Amino acid sequence: MRIDIVSLFPEFVEQCAAFGVTGRARERGLLSLHGWNPRDHAGGNYRKVDDRTFGGGPGMVMLVEPLRLCLAAMRAADPLRPHLVYLSPQGRRLDQARVRELAALPRLALLCGRYEGVDERLLQAEVDEEISIGDYVLSGGELGAAVIVDTVARLQEGALNDAASAAEDSFEDGLLDCPHYSHPVEHLYGTVPEVLRSGNHAAIARWRRQQALARTWLRRPDLLEGRELSRADRKLLDEWLREQDDPQAGPQGERPVR
Ligand code: 4GT
């Protein structure tokens, strides 16, 4: 997959993908990143990329012409047509389902705004989709772009050393992840749940599924609202809920917030 980053600070996004899973994905040739700076396409002695906003008020707007030229150079660098995303709080909120779709594209381009944002005419003429990474304000779209690069990079075939780990992550089946434990079994902070050391793989899978359902119910009930649980999942969650009502039954865990 090829990702083009159009930004006043393209190196910032590239650096975000220089380490760990994303760094390895790039070394393995699963992902290539290409930075494009509109300042390289700005005229005049000052290479001006921003100006005051029409209508008055505080803040500057990214100029349409340096961005138009920059995007033309970016598009011309490869015959594949990129899906061009503008990162902004006005966009559709990113979730793992959209990440999966973006990860399957052969070429993605990420346009990052600074100041008050980009001249609306450029967005109308060039952008395929606006994406927000959440309901908060950033100083620029670069962190949003870095989030998209990271999330799609790890889904490239061969990016994760253990192929199964991607499928078991939070959200991959619309649920939060189960808790994880490692050595030592006994620690000042607690003991590893017995079932995980039982060697009973069916019981372990069942416990993990139940924990994932329970944590989702506790922490993110909104994720359960819009969906029908399978009979098996419903049974697991109901069993866990009964255990919460009856302090005698089952191991104690997190309590629901009421
Ligand atoms: C928030 C987000 C984003 C910003 C988000 C244009 C100039 C937008 C500054 C930029 N803030 N970008 N992508 N929640 N700020 O995704």
Side-chain angles (χ1 to χ4, degrees):
M1 179 179 190
R2 173 184 174 120
I3 304 183
D4 294 275
I5 297 140
V6 179
S7 159
L8 290 172
F9 310 106
E11 301 85 2
F12 173 80
V13 182
E14 295 184 77
Q15 274 306 302
C16 284
F19 311 99
V21 170
T22 49
R24 220 177 322 115
R26 294 170 70 187
E27 283 164 18
R28 291 176 180 173
L30 307 174
L31 178 77
S32 67
L33 296 186
H34 306 266
W36 303 89
N37 194 331
R39 201 171 298 278
D40 297 337
H41 302 268
N45 285 339
Y46 302 100
R47 309 206 140 247
K48 196 165 74 115
V49 291
D50 63 315
D51 203 343
R52 290 186 301 272
T53 167
F54 270 119
M60 305 290 267
V61 174
M62 283 179 80
L63 290 170
V64 60
E65 189 59 7
L67 276 171
R68 185 184 71 84
L69 295 171
C70 187
L71 288 171
M74 180 275 287
R75 290 182 191 279
D78 190 297
L80 273 176
R81 187 188 193 281
H83 180 72
L84 178 55
V85 170
Y86 178 56
L87 284 306
S88 102
Q90 282 77 48
R92 187 169 86 163
R93 194 131 93 231
L94 186 66
D95 60 21
Q96 192 65 21
R98 188 70 192 121
V99 167
R100 276 192 289 270
E101 292 170 354
L102 294 174
L105 296 171
R107 188 180 181 193
L108 181 63
L110 304 172
L111 173 58
C112 307
R114 281 269 153 178
Y115 318 113
E116 300 310 305
V118 169
D119 189 304
E120 186 66 21
R121 293 168 295 181
L122 182 110
L123 301 179
Q124 289 291 328
E126 296 260 14
V127 167
D128 296 305
E129 180 184 17
E130 279 190 43
I131 293 181
S132 165
I133 61 161
D135 293 339
Y136 39 79
V137 182
L138 300 168
S139 310
E142 284 79 7
L143 279 171
V147 164
I148 292 185
V149 169
D150 186 282
T151 52
V152 305
R154 58 196 306 290
L155 293 187
Q156 300 305 303
E157 190 76 51
L160 300 177
N161 284 326
D162 182 357
S165 58
E168 293 187 5
D169 277 332
S170 299
F171 301 119
E172 277 307 328
D173 57 4
L175 299 177
L176 300 184
D177 204 0
C178 63
H180 302 281
Y181 299 87
S182 189
H183 293 287
V185 169
E186 304 274 4
H187 184 271
L188 173 65
Y189 290 167
T191 305
V192 176
E194 179 72 40
V195 58
L196 296 178
R197 294 176 287 129
S198 67
N200 181 342
H201 296 294
I204 292 169
R206 184 181 188 282
W207 181 86
R208 286 181 170 158
R209 186 73 187 174
Q210 188 169 48
Q211 289 292 311
L213 288 160
R215 287 179 139 197
T216 308
W217 184 87
L218 279 169
R219 301 184 187 188
R220 291 294 305 277
D222 58 299
L223 294 178
L224 295 178
E225 251 133 55
R227 70 183 260 179
E228 188 84 54
L229 290 181
S230 71
R231 287 178 62 107
D233 281 349
R234 188 72 252 172
K235 241 185 94 189
L236 283 175
L237 182 55
D238 286 344
E239 178 191 83
W240 182 86
L241 287 166
R242 277 195 306 277
E243 285 172 9
Q244 303 315 294
D245 291 339
D246 176 6
Q248 300 300 92
Q252 279 309 287
E254 211 164 334
R255 305 295 300 184
V257 197
R258 288 199 210 276

